[in-house]
Amino acid sequence: MDNLTHSLVGALIGQAGLKRKTGLGMPALIFGANLPDLDAGCVVYGLENLAMRRGLTHGPIAWVVLPLLLAAFIWWFDRWQARRGTRPDDRLPVRFGWLYVLSFIGCLSHPALDWLNSYGIRLLEPFSSRWFYGDALFIVDVWIWVVAIATLTISQRREKQGRAKWNRPALVGLVAILAYINANLIITATAEAAAPQRDAIAVPVPLAFWERDLIVDTDGPIYTGYALQRWSLAGGTQPPQMLVDQPACLHPLQLTQFAPNNRELAAFLFWSRAPYIERQERDGQVIDVLRDARFTGSAGSRFQVPVPVPAEAENCLQE
């Protein structure tokens, strides 16, 4: 999920009452909720970063080590302020044990949310590189923003006014978000059950949480590709859209045989869930690119890599 969502969820957990367990409890939750995205620095490697993201910093070892490092830094920061005489007088005593617990809760919320979209997450890294997908939420969910911001704001206002049970709106917000997530998991399961293919992928779409893009594999003896079909809980489906309309004589996974040293290609195939080859025209030249059926819109242009198509497949493409 996006970092605003991670931050809002961490803040809601704190505003629900846990921030009162120790001084600087809220920063521990918010920073902890974003800490696994340390691997975002891998974007400097271009498309190769697809094989580096949502792995080691999102796995079991990171769940233990990252909160410990964060708690140690926050504890040191409080002591540093005290020595300089700049520590706020109204700050609660900082307890390292609670700092670690809150950092751990915040950090754990991150992979839990990331699992919910179709991008994928390697929850067991470094013990296993298997990708996991919840297919329940679009990577940026505005409805979660609305609920989280509204309930967080109300709760903070009540707290400033000194009202009893000031944390109740934040609790309501967390319950509402959990209910929304569970509803979307059911919607995805319903969409997959309605698909014409048993192993179809139901991809969440922006804003319209009641709709899914169904990705159906159309592999046959000649064709390699996917069909995309919009499904709605309200009823009705749009006609399937072929993502590839050119015959191919090889599966995308075979491309590494023809370019064994192409790191971008290897990284893309490691990350990809529904790879297909698309023929494009650029600057008057026709090239073949590898894409993923989960990302077919304008945003999907970031997730594609030129591929070497061997002569025997080129002959097939021209038939």
Side-chain angles (χ1 to χ4, degrees):
M1 302 296 289
D2 64 287
N3 290 105
L4 177 56
T5 299
H6 288 303
S7 299
L8 287 172
V9 169
L12 271 180
I13 295 173
Q15 195 63 26
L18 284 181
K19 70 176 186 178
R20 293 290 184 92
K21 296 297 183 179
T22 176
L24 297 176
M26 186 67 94
L29 282 161
I30 295 176
F31 284 115
N34 287 279
L35 204 54
D37 273 344
L38 284 171
D39 61 0
C42 295
V43 295
V44 299
Y45 293 100
L47 275 177
E48 289 184 49
N49 90 95
L50 293 175
M52 307 172 190
R53 295 295 309 276
R54 293 197 177 191
L56 188 60
T57 61
H58 290 64
I61 293 178
W63 304 345
V64 177
V65 175
L66 291 181
L68 182 62
L69 295 176
L70 178 60
F73 174 78
I74 294 175
W75 183 86
W76 169 85
F77 177 77
D78 180 70
R79 296 296 186 273
W80 178 75
Q81 282 192 315
R83 289 195 299 270
R84 288 171 55 90
T86 57
R87 186 183 191 278
D89 295 331
D90 59 348
R91 179 183 295 166
L92 294 173
V94 172
R95 298 181 174 88
F96 183 83
W98 270 110
L99 274 182
Y100 179 73
V101 170
L102 297 186
S103 298
F104 178 78
I105 292 173
C107 187
L108 204 60
S109 72
H110 188 108
L113 287 170
D114 277 359
W115 167 76
L116 291 169
N117 54 59
S118 299
Y119 185 97
I121 181 173
R122 288 175 282 146
L123 282 171
L124 303 179
E125 196 73 46
F127 307 108
S128 170
S129 294
R130 176 188 170 188
W131 290 90
F132 292 84
Y133 313 92
D135 294 334
L137 301 179
F138 188 67
I139 196 167
V140 177
D141 196 300
V142 176
W143 303 111
I144 291 181
W145 288 2
V146 171
V147 172
I149 291 174
T151 54
L152 185 63
T153 300
I154 295 172
S155 181
Q156 289 174 334
R157 286 179 178 175
R158 289 191 175 189
E159 183 182 15
K160 290 181 179 178
Q161 294 169 356
R163 297 174 61 177
K165 298 181 179 180
W166 50 268
N167 61 329
R168 180 169 292 178
L171 286 169
V172 170
L174 286 173
V175 171
I177 290 173
L178 287 174
Y180 174 74
I181 289 172
N182 283 320
N184 274 275
L185 286 168
I186 293 173
I187 292 172
T188 293
T190 304
E192 291 174 344
Q197 190 180 71
R198 188 175 183 180
D199 56 349
I201 304 171
V203 179
V205 299
L207 293 176
F209 63 85
W210 57 90
E211 295 183 351
R212 296 291 185 270
D213 276 337
L214 291 178
I215 301 175
V216 181
D217 192 349
T218 62
D219 277 5
I222 298 177
Y223 290 83
T224 299
Y226 293 87
L228 194 67
Q229 185 174 22
R230 180 62 60 89
W231 174 92
S232 175
L233 185 64
T237 57
Q238 297 178 0
Q241 169 196 355
M242 288 299 297
L243 296 182
V244 57
D245 56 6
Q246 294 283 352
C249 298
L250 76 165
H251 192 278
L253 294 177
Q254 296 176 282
L255 290 170
T256 53
Q257 300 176 15
F258 309 100
N261 298 319
N262 190 326
R263 294 184 178 181
E264 287 190 347
L265 174 60
F268 190 98
L269 288 172
F270 172 73
W271 161 83
S272 183
R273 186 179 180 188
Y276 69 97
I277 302 171
E278 180 179 84
R279 179 149 283 190
Q280 298 180 355
E281 185 174 343
R282 296 182 185 178
D283 301 324
Q285 292 185 334
V286 176
I287 65 170
D288 296 302
V289 298
L290 187 62
R291 302 191 64 180
D292 190 286
R294 294 170 296 172
F295 303 95
T296 56
S298 57
S301 61
R302 298 188 300 114
F303 303 112
Q304 60 182 32
V305 57
V307 294
V309 176
E312 56 267 29
E314 285 288 356
N315 294 334
C316 176
L317 287 168
Q318 294 170 4
E319 292 178 0

